[in-house]
Amino acid sequence: MSRFVNLELGGESDDQSRQQKALVKDEAHYRAEAQAAFENGEFELALRLYGKVLEFNPHNAAAWGGQVRMLIELGQYREAGLWADKALERFPRDAELLAAKGVALGRSGDLQGALAFSDSAVEEHGDTPYVWLARGDVLLACRESRADYCFQKALQAAPRDWFVAWLGARIRSFYRQFALALKLLQQAVELNATHFLVWLEMGRCQQALGLAGPARHSFEQARQLNPICHEARLALTSLAAMGVGPRLRGWWRRLFNQ
């Protein structure tokens, strides 16, 4: 066998090795998949993937926190609180878990408990973007103006990260602060105009503010960037239905005036 054949076989072997490595589904693989699902707004999928991470490594605090945060995004605040308790038994001083527990309590109406956990998160030197976003979430639940400072701190901690701006906008939207959410989404678009999720959230805010034309444009951008985006298609249908109402009211007014 010539050395050239050996080189060819060696090349094939290297390729096979790389393919096998690529197919390995380990803790790192599922953690990356979970984060990707989160950044695509697929919270149910992300929740399952964080669970897969914990099957490989039950000591992964970030995966525990990911599960709690996905439950919050899904509106399951009681479950989020229960899972946060389980996680805090293992990691009682984890700032992001403390912060997530605070959000779960705040959105459940336990404002005193929410503030206590949020304070603990900050005391644990939790200066990550999520800890500040969570504190902003809790302060909004308490109707405190200091929340603005927390959103600023989150953005300062990750000045080039569109995802942090998008998360902040989702919190503002939850508390029906759509104009302020829109401001954050404009920052997110400046950082990443090619992600459909930013346009989708922007369209929702614009629709809530009664800005039908800009909302339609945003939803269309989202659908162009992600043609299988079910939410964008539904939103465009909803907007079209909204358009019928004003036309009918105009027709009735004209008929009545005759």
Side-chain angles (χ1 to χ4, degrees):
M1 185 178 293
S2 72
R3 60 192 176 95
F4 297 106
V5 174
N6 281 331
L7 286 173
E8 288 172 2
L9 288 174
E12 289 178 1
S13 178
D14 288 344
D15 288 343
Q16 288 173 354
S17 177
R18 279 195 291 272
Q19 289 172 1
Q20 286 171 351
K21 286 180 180 176
L23 292 173
V24 170
K25 293 185 177 180
D26 55 8
E27 178 186 350
H29 167 82
Y30 284 112
R31 183 170 177 179
E33 290 287 300
Q35 182 65 25
F38 188 7
E39 293 183 4
N40 280 320
E42 298 173 301
F43 307 125
E44 286 274 3
L45 176 60
L47 178 64
R48 293 197 297 274
L49 289 166
Y50 281 123
K52 295 290 289 185
V53 174
L54 293 177
E55 288 179 13
F56 283 95
N57 180 11
H59 303 293
N60 189 322
W64 281 98
Q67 283 197 324
V68 176
R69 290 176 63 180
M70 293 311 98
L71 288 167
I72 291 171
E73 293 290 351
L74 291 166
Q76 299 177 25
Y77 308 126
R78 180 176 176 278
E79 290 79 2
L82 292 173
W83 278 100
D85 289 340
K86 290 178 182 289
L88 286 168
E89 288 175 5
R90 294 171 178 265
F91 315 100
R93 300 185 64 179
D94 186 279
E96 296 211 345
L97 280 171
L98 290 165
K101 171 73 177 182
V103 173
L105 289 175
R107 294 197 178 191
S108 299
D110 181 356
L111 302 184
Q112 190 172 0
L115 277 173
F117 275 95
S118 182
D119 288 347
S120 297
V122 175
E123 286 168 5
E124 292 296 336
H125 305 291
D127 56 356
T128 67
Y130 178 67
V131 169
W132 285 111
L133 287 174
R135 187 159 184 81
D137 197 318
V138 167
L139 293 180
L140 284 180
C142 298
R143 300 179 182 276
E144 290 204 20
S145 59
R146 289 181 298 155
D148 295 346
Y149 171 77
C150 299
F151 288 103
Q152 290 171 9
K153 290 288 290 184
L155 293 173
Q156 287 171 4
R160 304 301 303 166
D161 192 341
W162 70 272
F163 191 56
V164 172
W166 176 78
L167 287 171
R170 279 185 62 80
I171 295 169
R172 293 282 197 190
S173 294
F174 177 81
Y175 292 99
R176 305 189 66 75
Q177 296 184 341
F178 298 113
L180 291 171
L182 200 54
K183 188 176 178 182
L184 286 169
L185 288 167
Q186 286 165 346
Q187 293 180 48
V189 166
E190 289 175 7
L191 295 170
N192 186 1
T194 62
H195 202 298
F196 79 97
L197 207 55
V198 177
W199 291 103
L200 180 64
E201 199 71 38
M202 181 175 282
R204 288 169 173 161
C205 286
Q206 290 163 333
Q207 185 175 7
L209 291 167
L211 305 172
R216 185 176 300 104
H217 172 74
S218 296
F219 290 139
E220 286 173 349
Q221 293 296 318
R223 192 172 60 172
Q224 284 178 19
L225 291 165
N226 182 3
I228 62 171
C229 181
H230 181 63
E231 292 87 349
R233 190 170 64 253
L234 284 179
L236 284 167
T237 303
S238 172
L239 269 181
M242 282 178 62
V244 171
R247 285 199 297 272
L248 283 175
R249 285 194 294 275
W251 182 78
W252 276 107
R253 278 197 298 270
R254 287 194 299 273
L255 182 64
F256 183 79
N257 291 332
Q258 287 174 357

